[in-house]
Every structure is written in structure tokens, then in C-alpha cells.
Amino acid sequence: MSLHFGEEEFDSAWRELDEPQLEGGWELFTENMGVKIYRLLDKETGLYEYKIIGVLSACPAQQCADVYMDLAYRKQWDSYVKELQEKEFEGHKAIYWEVKYPFPLSNRDYVYIRERRDIQVEGRTIYVVLARSSPNTPLAEKSSVTRVKDYKQSLAMATDGAGGTKVFMNYFDNPGGMIPTWLVNWAAKSGVPGFLTDMKKACNNYDGHCQKK
């Protein structure tokens, strides 16, 4: 597998799991269900970059990482997925992901690359997944769907010492078009904690899913 990301990117992600870097304008946006969401204004686009810090209780870290990487399973538990699959493009793999948006807005789709590494740090395993948009991947855009061309995400997970998973996520995307402010705020305030709640349920059901395969 070709390596899309550098060592420093993985190092930065796992270090923020223990010590989130919130200097330089980051503000606490909301706290919900034990999840803290910070945001930083991107002056160039007028959009926000987000950092999410929380714990998924009763969910082992390795299982969380496996669930997050399992695209076929995600189509079963994530109700916002319209289409999600990994494809081969001229010798390299990329993921195509179409996300359902509420009417009358157009759905958004992503073409991105990702990589997971399980990193050993002082006797514990930190699971890191990095992803970013891949604009040079040759996949034609759909006429009825808006392509998100600027997307990045880093995710770090490790045990919380009590059978759960400590989670740090950093992400930014530019959905394009005119997205109402209420929808952007809802996605950050409710959508992200809701996604983590759904992911926790998916973790709890994952063993049963794997046994059926």
C-alpha cells in the first residue's frame, strides 16, 4: 500500500489525543454528552475547522478503530450514507462517499484517501486514521451532487483505562454552495455527538455483524 501521509502527520494526531493544541484562536463551541467541540475560523473561506474531544464508554479502542475503517458496515449504521465504497483508480485506491443532505439542498460527495496506523506509545496502542480529499483522482462528478474538494480529517483513539475509548478528532471541509448557518451549526452541535453515539452502538453490535459475515 502506498503511503499518503507523513510521519509528522501521524505524530501530530496522536500527541493531540493527550494534549490538544487549542492556542491561536480556538474557542469552545459546544459541549454535549461528554463531547467537547472546539472551532477555529478559517479566514480564507469563512468556514470553521473543528476539534472534537470525548470518550466512547464501554467501547474498546481497537474495536472502535475497526468499526471506523469498515466501510461496508458503516452503510448499515450511518443513516446519512447514500453511497460509500473503496475503488481502484489508475493504480491507487481512493474512497467515494456520498452524503445525504436535507431537501432542498443537493447531496455532497467526497473522493478521498485515508491511512490507518496502530502506533505504540509508552506501552499503549494509539489508533490513528488520517484522511484528506484527493482532487486528482479521476472520478467524474454527478450533475445532481456537489463535490467537496477540500476535506481533511485526523482521528486518534486509545483506551481510556476503563474499557472505553478516548477520542480526538480534527476536521475541516468546505461543502461548497450556500449552506444555511443553522445547518452548519446543527451538524457541529448535534450531528457530531450523534455520530459518536451511533458509532458506539455500532461498536456494541460489531461482533455480531462479523459473525454473520
Side-chain angles (χ1 to χ4, degrees):
M1 181 180 67
S2 60
L3 300 180
H4 303 298
F5 303 92
E7 294 287 344
E8 70 283 353
E9 294 176 88
F10 283 95
D11 286 347
S12 176
W14 73 254
R15 290 181 188 281
E16 287 213 63
L17 181 67
D18 292 331
E19 297 181 7
Q21 301 301 303
L22 300 172
E23 302 83 12
W26 288 93
E27 61 179 11
L28 179 63
F29 178 49
T30 186
E31 185 171 358
N32 187 0
M33 298 186 296
V35 177
K36 291 183 178 181
I37 301 177
Y38 295 84
R39 69 181 185 180
L40 176 68
L41 180 65
D42 182 279
K43 295 180 180 179
E44 184 176 336
T45 63
L47 301 169
Y48 285 95
E49 180 178 352
Y50 295 92
K51 290 185 178 182
I52 298 98
I53 303 164
V55 171
L56 296 179
S57 59
C59 235
Q62 181 174 349
Q63 190 174 59
C64 279
D66 292 344
V67 166
Y68 191 79
M69 294 294 289
D70 192 330
L71 301 181
Y73 183 46
R74 182 165 176 174
K75 287 187 283 189
Q76 296 182 28
W77 62 266
D78 186 345
S79 61
Y80 293 99
V81 170
K82 176 72 180 294
E83 185 178 345
L84 180 62
Q85 58 183 309
E86 189 171 55
K87 298 182 178 182
E88 187 92 18
F89 297 97
E90 298 181 355
H92 78 274
K93 291 182 178 180
I95 294 168
Y96 176 78
W97 177 31
E98 183 179 341
V99 180
K100 299 175 187 176
Y101 266 55
F103 180 83
L105 301 173
S106 300
N107 286 356
R108 263 55 180 175
D109 67 3
Y110 301 70
V111 179
Y112 68 96
I113 55 175
R114 71 172 180 178
E115 186 179 339
R116 167 180 165 178
R117 292 190 193 176
D118 301 351
I119 301 171
Q120 300 299 316
V121 180
E122 298 179 350
R124 63 177 178 155
T125 303
I126 301 179
Y127 305 90
V128 179
V129 182
L130 302 182
R132 66 166 171 254
S133 51
S134 181
N136 296 325
T137 298
L139 182 65
E141 298 183 25
K142 298 179 181 179
S143 60
S144 59
V145 179
T146 300
R147 176 67 49 84
V148 176
K149 298 178 181 177
D150 188 5
Y151 161 72
K152 66 175 183 178
Q153 178 177 288
S154 62
L155 174 67
M157 297 168 282
T159 179
D160 68 346
T165 299
K166 186 178 179 181
V167 177
F168 169 83
M169 181 186 291
N170 181 193
Y171 80 90
F172 172 85
D173 73 13
N174 184 347
M178 298 298 292
I179 304 296
T181 301
W182 68 262
L183 180 59
V184 174
N185 288 338
W186 174 88
K189 286 186 175 181
S190 302
V192 172
F195 171 79
L196 292 176
T197 298
D198 289 344
M199 185 171 166
K200 178 181 176 181
K201 293 178 183 176
C203 286
N204 293 336
N205 296 328
Y206 193 53
D207 287 342
H209 165 76
C210 292
Q211 290 171 6
K212 293 177 183 177
K213 291 168 63 174

XYZ file of all heavy atoms in Angstrom, residues 90-184:
766
model
N -6.471 3.979 -11.381
C -5.166 4.090 -12.030
C -4.021 3.734 -11.084
O -3.043 4.483 -10.931
C -4.978 5.492 -12.614
C -6.007 5.839 -13.683
C -5.801 7.230 -14.263
O -4.922 7.963 -13.776
O -6.527 7.570 -15.222
N -4.189 2.599 -10.398
C -3.090 2.096 -9.576
C -3.111 2.520 -8.127
O -2.286 2.065 -7.342
N -4.023 3.400 -7.734
C -4.109 3.741 -6.310
C -5.568 3.677 -5.857
O -6.490 3.807 -6.664
C -3.509 5.131 -6.027
C -4.402 6.273 -6.398
N -4.448 6.810 -7.660
C -5.309 6.973 -5.666
C -5.329 7.796 -7.695
N -5.866 7.919 -6.503
N -5.747 3.457 -4.570
C -7.084 3.321 -4.012
C -7.567 4.647 -3.440
O -6.795 5.407 -2.856
C -7.108 2.248 -2.924
C -6.907 0.833 -3.452
C -6.994 -0.184 -2.331
C -6.848 -1.604 -2.878
N -6.928 -2.633 -1.806
N -8.839 4.896 -3.614
C -9.484 6.060 -3.013
C -10.899 5.659 -2.642
O -11.436 4.660 -3.115
C -9.485 7.244 -3.976
N -11.503 6.447 -1.775
C -12.843 6.155 -1.280
C -13.830 7.167 -1.854
O -13.557 8.377 -1.866
C -12.869 6.185 0.257
C -12.004 5.039 0.803
C -14.298 6.071 0.788
C -11.729 5.137 2.280
N -14.946 6.655 -2.347
C -16.030 7.516 -2.796
C -17.136 7.474 -1.742
O -17.576 6.404 -1.319
C -16.603 7.073 -4.143
C -17.787 7.910 -4.554
C -17.601 9.186 -5.084
C -19.096 7.462 -4.359
C -18.684 9.993 -5.422
C -20.182 8.256 -4.690
C -19.964 9.529 -5.216
O -21.028 10.334 -5.536
N -17.601 8.663 -1.338
C -18.573 8.782 -0.247
C -19.590 9.852 -0.619
O -19.240 11.015 -0.803
C -17.819 9.161 1.029
C -18.627 9.404 2.263
C -19.807 8.838 2.623
C -18.273 10.296 3.337
N -20.209 9.307 3.860
C -19.287 10.199 4.319
C -17.179 11.139 3.571
C -19.264 10.934 5.497
C -17.156 11.873 4.742
C -18.174 11.770 5.701
N -20.849 9.453 -0.741
C -21.925 10.421 -0.965
C -22.753 10.543 0.302
O -23.178 9.545 0.880
C -22.822 10.011 -2.127
C -23.915 11.051 -2.413
C -24.829 10.708 -3.579
O -24.437 9.868 -4.413
O -25.947 11.269 -3.643
N -22.966 11.787 0.733
C -23.657 12.078 1.994
C -25.015 12.697 1.693
O -25.131 13.627 0.888
C -22.814 13.050 2.859
C -23.535 13.362 4.162
C -21.437 12.455 3.126
N -26.038 12.207 2.370
C -27.382 12.748 2.207
C -27.491 14.108 2.898
O -27.093 14.257 4.054
C -28.417 11.798 2.811
C -28.466 10.424 2.180
C -29.435 9.532 2.942
C -29.406 8.101 2.453
N -30.285 7.223 3.270
N -28.032 15.094 2.175
C -28.321 16.415 2.737
C -29.839 16.619 2.741
O -30.548 16.053 1.897
C -27.653 17.511 1.907
C -26.299 17.951 2.409
C -25.277 17.028 2.596
C -26.035 19.279 2.698
C -24.026 17.430 3.059
C -24.795 19.697 3.154
C -23.798 18.759 3.337
O -22.569 19.160 3.790
N -30.351 17.404 3.682
C -31.803 17.615 3.733
C -32.299 18.413 2.535
O -31.621 19.319 2.051
C -31.998 18.389 5.045
C -30.686 19.058 5.297
C -29.644 18.116 4.769
N -33.490 18.084 2.048
C -34.138 18.826 0.975
C -34.315 20.283 1.396
O -34.632 20.546 2.560
C -35.502 18.189 0.673
C -36.264 18.865 -0.427
C -36.011 18.571 -1.748
C -37.227 19.826 -0.121
C -36.717 19.213 -2.762
C -37.930 20.476 -1.124
C -37.668 20.159 -2.447
N -34.082 21.257 0.526
C -33.840 21.166 -0.920
C -32.356 21.189 -1.300
O -32.038 21.441 -2.462
C -34.549 22.408 -1.439
C -34.284 23.427 -0.368
C -34.301 22.660 0.942
N -31.462 20.972 -0.360
C -30.039 21.036 -0.664
C -29.588 19.794 -1.431
O -30.131 18.697 -1.253
C -29.229 21.160 0.628
C -29.534 22.379 1.502
C -28.775 22.274 2.821
C -29.157 23.660 0.777
N -28.582 19.982 -2.270
C -28.008 18.854 -3.006
C -27.154 18.007 -2.074
O -26.526 18.529 -1.141
C -27.126 19.362 -4.152
O -27.864 20.146 -5.054
N -27.133 16.718 -2.315
C -26.198 15.860 -1.597
C -24.766 16.293 -1.888
O -24.479 16.932 -2.902
C -26.371 14.397 -2.022
C -27.628 13.772 -1.450
O -28.345 14.388 -0.669
N -27.911 12.540 -1.846
N -23.860 15.941 -0.977
C -22.433 16.197 -1.172
C -21.726 14.861 -1.355
O -22.142 13.846 -0.779
C -21.836 16.912 0.054
C -21.722 18.430 -0.082
C -23.007 19.094 -0.426
N -22.864 20.537 -0.549
C -23.833 21.340 -0.933
N -25.013 20.863 -1.232
N -23.636 22.648 -1.032
N -20.662 14.865 -2.170
C -19.850 13.667 -2.251
C -18.373 14.009 -2.127
O -17.955 15.156 -2.338
C -20.159 12.827 -3.498
C -19.774 13.496 -4.811
O -19.202 14.606 -4.803
O -20.050 12.887 -5.870
N -17.618 12.999 -1.725
C -16.199 13.133 -1.431
C -15.440 12.043 -2.175
O -15.912 10.905 -2.294
C -15.911 12.941 0.062
C -16.604 13.882 1.007
C -17.981 13.825 1.225
C -15.874 14.831 1.737
C -18.610 14.676 2.123
C -16.490 15.685 2.631
C -17.857 15.606 2.823
O -18.478 16.453 3.711
N -14.261 12.374 -2.649
C -13.297 11.376 -3.097
C -12.052 11.622 -2.264
O -11.453 12.702 -2.328
C -12.982 11.504 -4.602
C -11.959 10.449 -5.017
C -14.258 11.366 -5.423
N -11.671 10.643 -1.452
C -10.582 10.893 -0.516
C -9.721 9.650 -0.313
O -10.120 8.518 -0.625
C -11.128 11.405 0.813
C -11.928 10.414 1.626
C -11.331 9.665 2.644
C -13.295 10.235 1.408
C -12.069 8.769 3.408
C -14.034 9.351 2.169
C -13.428 8.618 3.166
O -14.159 7.733 3.913
N -8.543 9.892 0.202
C -7.625 8.818 0.569
C -7.529 8.781 2.086
O -7.774 9.787 2.761
C -6.227 9.025 -0.045
C -5.674 10.405 0.336
C -6.272 8.861 -1.558
C -4.249 10.678 -0.128
N -7.186 7.615 2.617
C -7.043 7.505 4.069
C -5.995 6.445 4.390
O -5.664 5.593 3.567
C -8.365 7.144 4.743
C -8.818 5.716 4.483
C -10.023 5.342 5.313
N -10.424 3.972 5.041
C -11.431 3.351 5.643
N -12.155 4.005 6.537
N -11.737 2.102 5.353
N -5.496 6.522 5.600
C -4.496 5.564 6.056
C -4.618 5.403 7.570
O -4.803 6.392 8.288
C -3.087 6.036 5.687
C -1.987 5.026 6.006
C -0.607 5.527 5.590
O -0.522 6.423 4.723
O 0.381 5.025 6.157
N -4.505 4.179 8.029
C -4.540 3.883 9.466
C -3.188 3.336 9.907
O -2.582 2.517 9.223
C -5.631 2.852 9.774
C -5.542 2.253 11.188
C -6.635 1.234 11.434
N -6.356 0.415 12.617
C -7.172 -0.523 13.086
N -8.324 -0.771 12.472
N -6.843 -1.231 14.154
N -2.762 3.779 11.058
C -1.580 3.198 11.697
C -1.886 2.954 13.170
O -2.519 3.788 13.828
C -0.358 4.120 11.580
C 0.175 4.274 10.165
C 1.500 4.985 10.156
N 1.879 5.403 8.814
C 2.969 6.125 8.535
N 3.783 6.491 9.528
N 3.237 6.480 7.295
N -1.440 1.815 13.670
C -1.532 1.488 15.086
C -0.162 1.750 15.696
O 0.799 1.041 15.398
C -1.936 0.024 15.274
C -3.282 -0.297 14.615
O -3.971 0.650 14.170
O -3.623 -1.487 14.535
N -0.078 2.798 16.510
C 1.206 3.315 16.984
C 1.404 2.948 18.450
O 0.519 3.165 19.283
C 1.259 4.850 16.787
C 1.068 5.186 15.299
C 2.569 5.418 17.309
C 0.882 6.671 15.029
N 2.581 2.416 18.764
C 2.921 2.060 20.139
C 3.575 3.258 20.826
O 4.596 3.767 20.350
C 3.862 0.859 20.166
C 3.278 -0.391 19.523
C 2.025 -0.873 20.229
O 1.960 -0.915 21.464
N 1.011 -1.232 19.444
N 2.979 3.705 21.923
C 3.495 4.857 22.664
C 3.515 4.509 24.151
O 2.458 4.364 24.771
C 2.632 6.113 22.428
C 3.196 7.291 23.226
C 2.559 6.456 20.952
N 4.701 4.335 24.699
C 4.871 4.087 26.138
C 3.955 2.964 26.640
O 3.246 3.112 27.638
C 4.631 5.384 26.928
C 5.628 6.479 26.581
C 5.371 7.767 27.341
O 4.309 7.878 27.993
O 6.229 8.667 27.289
N 3.966 1.855 25.916
C 3.239 0.683 26.363
C 1.759 0.636 26.017
O 1.061 -0.298 26.407
N 1.253 1.616 25.317
C -0.145 1.583 24.897
C -0.232 1.749 23.388
O 0.693 2.243 22.745
C -0.954 2.682 25.588
C -0.508 4.075 25.245
C -1.379 5.128 25.899
N -0.893 6.461 25.586
C -1.655 7.545 25.581
N -2.940 7.456 25.868
N -1.137 8.726 25.303
N -1.353 1.317 22.837
C -1.575 1.425 21.396
C -2.521 2.586 21.110
O -3.601 2.680 21.712
C -2.184 0.134 20.831
O -1.324 -0.970 21.135
C -2.337 0.234 19.319
N -2.092 3.475 20.219
C -2.945 4.566 19.759
C -3.275 4.305 18.292
O -2.384 4.096 17.467
C -2.262 5.933 19.921
C -1.902 6.173 21.396
C -3.170 7.049 19.414
C -1.198 7.487 21.659
N -4.559 4.294 17.992
C -5.034 4.017 16.638
C -5.283 5.354 15.946
O -6.108 6.148 16.399
C -6.313 3.184 16.684
C -6.136 1.906 17.477
C -6.398 1.875 18.851
C -5.679 0.747 16.867
C -6.221 0.713 19.587
C -5.492 -0.424 17.598
C -5.756 -0.433 18.957
O -5.569 -1.585 19.687
N -4.561 5.597 14.861
C -4.647 6.885 14.165
C -5.119 6.645 12.732
O -4.574 5.793 12.021
C -3.289 7.613 14.151
C -3.410 8.942 13.400
C -2.795 7.852 15.572
N -6.138 7.404 12.329
C -6.637 7.355 10.955
C -6.582 8.767 10.387
O -7.142 9.695 10.974
C -8.088 6.828 10.892
C -8.547 6.747 9.431
C -8.208 5.466 11.569
N -5.896 8.919 9.264
C -5.807 10.207 8.580
C -6.535 10.116 7.244
O -6.516 9.070 6.579
C -4.349 10.596 8.331
C -3.430 10.698 9.553
C -2.033 11.136 9.125
C -3.991 11.664 10.586
N -7.176 11.199 6.854
C -7.899 11.234 5.575
C -7.828 12.635 4.995
O -7.760 13.627 5.740
C -9.353 10.814 5.767
N -7.831 12.717 3.680
C -7.920 14.024 3.014
C -8.439 13.830 1.598
O -8.333 12.748 1.011
C -6.577 14.740 3.006
C -5.487 14.095 2.189
C -4.321 15.061 1.965
N -3.188 14.370 1.361
C -2.084 14.047 2.005
N -1.959 14.344 3.287
N -1.107 13.409 1.372
N -9.020 14.896 1.068
C -9.584 14.837 -0.271
C -8.494 14.571 -1.296
O -7.327 14.934 -1.105
C -10.331 16.142 -0.594
O -9.517 17.260 -0.329
N -8.906 13.919 -2.377
C -7.977 13.542 -3.442
C -8.495 14.105 -4.761
O -9.082 13.375 -5.572
C -7.844 12.011 -3.509
O -6.941 11.611 -4.516
N -8.299 15.412 -4.991
C -8.906 16.064 -6.155
C -8.387 15.556 -7.497
O -9.045 15.741 -8.529
C -8.552 17.548 -5.953
C -7.355 17.541 -5.058
C -7.528 16.359 -4.160
N -7.215 14.916 -7.497
C -6.658 14.435 -8.758
C -7.141 13.041 -9.139
O -6.804 12.528 -10.203
C -5.124 14.443 -8.690
C -4.564 15.849 -8.542
O -5.106 16.801 -9.099
N -3.492 15.995 -7.772
N -7.917 12.411 -8.246
C -8.467 11.101 -8.573
C -9.499 11.251 -9.692
O -10.422 12.058 -9.583
C -9.134 10.469 -7.333
O -8.142 10.270 -6.323
C -9.756 9.120 -7.685
N -9.342 10.492 -10.784
C -10.208 10.681 -11.961
C -11.581 10.044 -11.799
O -11.846 8.955 -12.281
C -9.410 9.999 -13.076
C -8.640 8.921 -12.384
C -8.302 9.466 -11.023
N -12.479 10.748 -11.112
C -13.849 10.278 -10.969
C -14.784 11.426 -11.330
O -14.759 12.482 -10.692
C -14.123 9.807 -9.538
C -15.533 9.254 -9.287
C -15.758 7.975 -10.098
C -15.762 8.983 -7.802
N -15.596 11.216 -12.356
C -16.474 12.274 -12.842
C -17.482 12.682 -11.775
O -17.950 11.848 -10.991
C -17.197 11.801 -14.099
N -17.804 13.969 -11.753
C -18.792 14.471 -10.809
C -20.204 14.194 -11.328
O -20.455 14.187 -12.533
C -18.602 15.978 -10.604
C -17.250 16.333 -10.004
C -17.088 17.815 -9.731
O -18.118 18.496 -9.547
O -15.939 18.296 -9.707
N -21.133 13.964 -10.384
C -22.533 13.772 -10.732
C -23.214 15.131 -10.862
O -22.951 16.039 -10.066
C -23.236 12.945 -9.645
C -22.675 11.546 -9.452
C -23.423 10.824 -8.331
C -22.874 9.431 -8.095
N -23.593 8.727 -6.982
N -24.109 15.252 -11.816
C -24.744 16.545 -12.072
C -25.606 17.021 -10.909
O -25.765 18.215 -10.684
C -25.598 16.462 -13.341
O -26.607 15.470 -13.194
N -26.162 16.096 -10.142
C -27.089 16.464 -9.068
C -26.438 16.496 -7.692
O -27.113 16.730 -6.683
C -28.257 15.476 -9.039
O -27.775 14.157 -8.821
N -25.125 16.273 -7.637
C -24.401 16.193 -6.364
C -23.234 17.171 -6.389
O -22.542 17.308 -7.397
C -23.872 14.753 -6.117
C -23.104 14.681 -4.806
C -25.030 13.760 -6.120
N -23.011 17.867 -5.270
C -21.914 18.828 -5.172
C -20.669 18.125 -4.620
O -20.708 17.525 -3.549
C -22.302 19.999 -4.247
O -23.451 20.660 -4.793
C -21.160 20.992 -4.129
N -19.567 18.202 -5.346
C -18.320 17.562 -4.929
C -17.589 18.432 -3.896
O -17.357 19.627 -4.110
C -17.418 17.343 -6.161
C -16.020 16.766 -5.904
C -16.031 15.361 -5.410
N -16.870 14.449 -6.167
C -16.470 13.814 -7.306
N -15.255 13.996 -7.781
N -17.302 12.992 -7.923
N -17.245 17.841 -2.757
C -16.448 18.510 -1.727
C -14.979 18.282 -2.067
O -14.489 17.156 -2.039
C -16.756 17.955 -0.324
C -15.851 18.597 0.719
C -18.225 18.185 0.023
N -14.285 19.359 -2.390
C -12.913 19.231 -2.891
C -11.868 19.589 -1.839
O -10.674 19.408 -2.077
C -12.736 20.104 -4.129
C -13.658 19.684 -5.274
C -13.517 20.580 -6.482
C -14.467 20.131 -7.596
N -14.406 21.015 -8.775
N -12.311 20.108 -0.708
C -11.379 20.495 0.348
C -11.841 19.846 1.651
O -12.730 20.355 2.329
C -11.339 22.022 0.482
C -10.251 22.497 1.430
O -9.468 21.659 1.918
O -10.193 23.712 1.693
N -11.227 18.709 1.987
C -11.635 17.921 3.152
C -10.396 17.311 3.785
O -9.510 16.802 3.095
C -12.592 16.816 2.707
C -12.761 15.651 3.667
C -13.466 15.800 4.855
C -12.228 14.390 3.374
C -13.631 14.725 5.728
C -12.391 13.314 4.234
C -13.090 13.492 5.407
O -13.253 12.437 6.275
N -10.324 17.398 5.103
C -9.231 16.733 5.816
C -9.736 16.304 7.185
O -10.619 16.934 7.766
C -8.021 17.646 5.973
C -8.256 18.860 6.871
C -6.978 19.653 7.074
C -7.217 20.831 8.028
N -5.987 21.603 8.296
N -9.180 15.207 7.668
C -9.590 14.710 8.976
C -8.470 13.892 9.586
O -7.776 13.155 8.887
C -10.838 13.840 8.838
C -11.311 13.233 10.152
C -12.587 12.433 9.981
O -13.656 12.987 9.782
N -12.472 11.130 10.038
N -8.286 14.045 10.885
C -7.390 13.159 11.629
C -8.160 12.653 12.843
O -8.933 13.390 13.456
C -6.112 13.885 12.055
O -6.392 14.956 12.921
N -7.951 11.384 13.152
C -8.665 10.741 14.239
C -7.671 9.904 15.032
O -6.910 9.127 14.449
C -9.780 9.851 13.691
C -10.563 8.984 14.673
C -11.389 9.856 15.611
C -11.472 8.019 13.918
N -7.659 10.085 16.352
C -6.783 9.298 17.227
C -7.638 8.690 18.331
O -8.486 9.372 18.918
C -5.679 10.168 17.809
N -7.396 7.409 18.609
C -8.178 6.683 19.607
C -7.256 5.815 20.454
O -6.322 5.210 19.937
C -9.220 5.783 18.915
C -10.257 6.541 18.113
S -11.241 5.452 17.034
C -10.070 5.183 15.689
N -7.541 5.765 21.743
C -6.788 4.900 22.657
C -7.685 4.561 23.833
O -8.704 5.231 24.085
C -5.512 5.590 23.142
N -7.315 3.537 24.572
C -8.120 3.164 25.728
C -8.178 4.295 26.744
O -7.215 5.044 26.917
C -7.569 1.894 26.403
O -8.382 1.582 27.540
C -6.125 2.081 26.861
N -9.329 4.410 27.406
C -9.454 5.409 28.468
C -9.109 4.807 29.828
O -9.244 5.465 30.855
C -10.867 5.998 28.489
C -11.927 4.985 28.915
O -11.616 3.771 28.939
O -13.062 5.396 29.222
N -8.693 3.531 29.824
C -8.324 2.859 31.063
C -9.489 2.242 31.805
O -9.311 1.641 32.857
N -10.700 2.393 31.247
C -11.888 1.866 31.931
C -12.784 1.086 30.967
O -13.999 1.038 31.150
C -12.673 3.011 32.560
N -12.175 0.525 29.936
C -12.936 -0.267 28.980
C -13.563 0.523 27.857
O -14.288 -0.034 27.024
N -13.292 1.819 27.835
C -13.824 2.677 26.778
C -12.712 3.223 25.905
O -11.557 2.815 25.997
N -13.063 4.184 25.062
C -12.114 4.757 24.111
C -12.074 6.276 24.232
O -13.119 6.939 24.155
C -12.492 4.386 22.669
O -12.469 2.967 22.526
C -11.524 4.995 21.671
N -10.894 6.796 24.422
C -10.663 8.241 24.381
C -10.478 8.641 22.920
O -9.721 7.991 22.188
C -9.417 8.580 25.198
C -9.126 10.063 25.359
C -7.892 10.251 26.232
C -7.552 11.727 26.396
N -6.334 11.897 27.227
N -11.181 9.681 22.484
C -11.204 10.051 21.074
C -10.787 11.508 20.893
O -11.224 12.395 21.634
C -12.622 9.863 20.478
C -12.666 10.314 19.024
C -13.070 8.415 20.594
N -9.933 11.734 19.879
C -9.628 13.093 19.422
C -9.821 13.127 17.914
O -9.299 12.272 17.198
C -8.192 13.502 19.759
C -7.779 14.786 19.072
C -8.118 16.012 19.610
C -7.081 14.761 17.869
C -7.781 17.193 18.969
C -6.733 15.942 17.213
C -7.071 17.161 17.770
N -10.582 14.115 17.445
C -10.786 14.273 16.007
C -10.577 15.729 15.616
O -10.987 16.646 16.320
C -12.202 13.840 15.601
C -12.479 13.945 14.106
S -14.218 13.603 13.679
C -14.312 11.852 14.019
N -9.921 15.934 14.493
C -9.699 17.260 13.920
C -10.202 17.199 12.481
O -9.780 16.319 11.724
C -8.213 17.591 13.976
C -7.848 18.976 13.426
O -6.683 19.244 13.200
N -8.809 19.845 13.199
N -11.131 18.081 12.113
C -11.584 18.004 10.727
C -11.982 19.366 10.171
O -12.312 20.300 10.897
C -12.744 17.005 10.574
C -14.111 17.533 10.967
C -14.946 18.166 10.044
C -14.596 17.376 12.262
C -16.198 18.633 10.403
C -15.853 17.838 12.622
C -16.648 18.466 11.685
O -17.881 18.939 12.053
N -11.916 19.427 8.857
C -12.356 20.609 8.110
C -12.885 20.138 6.771
O -12.297 19.256 6.144
C -11.197 21.584 7.877
C -11.546 22.729 6.962
C -12.154 23.867 7.461
C -11.285 22.667 5.594
C -12.504 24.924 6.621
C -11.626 23.711 4.751
C -12.237 24.853 5.264
N -14.004 20.688 6.355
C -14.394 20.514 4.956
C -15.128 21.750 4.474
O -15.715 22.503 5.258
C -15.162 19.215 4.700
C -16.582 19.203 5.231
O -17.098 20.273 5.592
O -17.169 18.122 5.278
N -15.041 21.964 3.184
C -15.721 23.076 2.539
C -16.808 22.480 1.652
O -16.522 21.979 0.571
C -14.742 23.895 1.701
C -15.396 25.121 1.077
O -16.621 25.241 1.063
N -14.592 26.031 0.565
N -18.072 22.498 2.134
C -19.127 21.797 1.409
C -19.566 22.463 0.119
O -20.318 21.871 -0.665
C -20.282 21.766 2.428
C -20.046 22.974 3.273
C -18.550 23.120 3.371
N -19.093 23.675 -0.131
C -19.469 24.367 -1.360
C -20.926 24.803 -1.345
O -21.733 24.340 -0.534
N -21.261 25.704 -2.248
C -22.640 26.164 -2.331
C -23.021 27.024 -1.135
O -22.203 27.374 -0.285
N -24.286 27.345 -1.064
C -24.797 28.177 0.019
C -25.454 27.276 1.068
O -26.591 26.838 0.903
C -25.807 29.190 -0.523
C -25.223 30.165 -1.535
S -23.908 31.195 -0.814
C -24.902 32.181 0.316
N -24.714 26.985 2.125
C -25.233 26.147 3.203
C -25.762 27.062 4.311
O -25.028 27.914 4.812
C -24.142 25.223 3.775
C -23.527 24.380 2.670
C -24.713 24.334 4.872
C -24.469 23.424 2.013
N -27.014 26.906 4.706
C -27.566 27.769 5.766
C -26.769 27.635 7.067
O -26.323 26.543 7.426
C -28.996 27.243 5.944
C -29.307 26.503 4.688
C -28.009 25.953 4.198
N -26.622 28.747 7.766
C -25.873 28.742 9.026
C -26.473 27.764 10.028
O -25.754 27.080 10.754
C -25.854 30.160 9.630
O -25.241 31.050 8.695
C -25.044 30.181 10.918
N -27.793 27.662 10.038
C -28.444 26.770 11.010
C -28.019 25.323 10.775
O -27.860 24.558 11.725
C -29.963 26.896 10.948
C -30.596 26.381 9.671
C -30.970 27.126 8.586
C -30.933 25.021 9.365
N -31.506 26.313 7.619
C -31.501 25.013 8.065
C -30.817 23.807 10.042
C -31.943 23.854 7.433
C -31.249 22.639 9.419
C -31.809 22.670 8.131
N -27.818 24.956 9.504
C -27.441 23.580 9.205
C -25.991 23.319 9.618
O -25.672 22.254 10.165
C -27.632 23.288 7.716
C -27.274 21.869 7.268
C -28.118 20.846 8.028
C -27.486 21.712 5.765
N -25.128 24.293 9.384
C -23.732 24.157 9.793
C -23.651 24.005 11.306
O -22.938 23.131 11.827
C -22.911 25.381 9.329
C -21.490 25.308 9.875
C -22.880 25.455 7.804
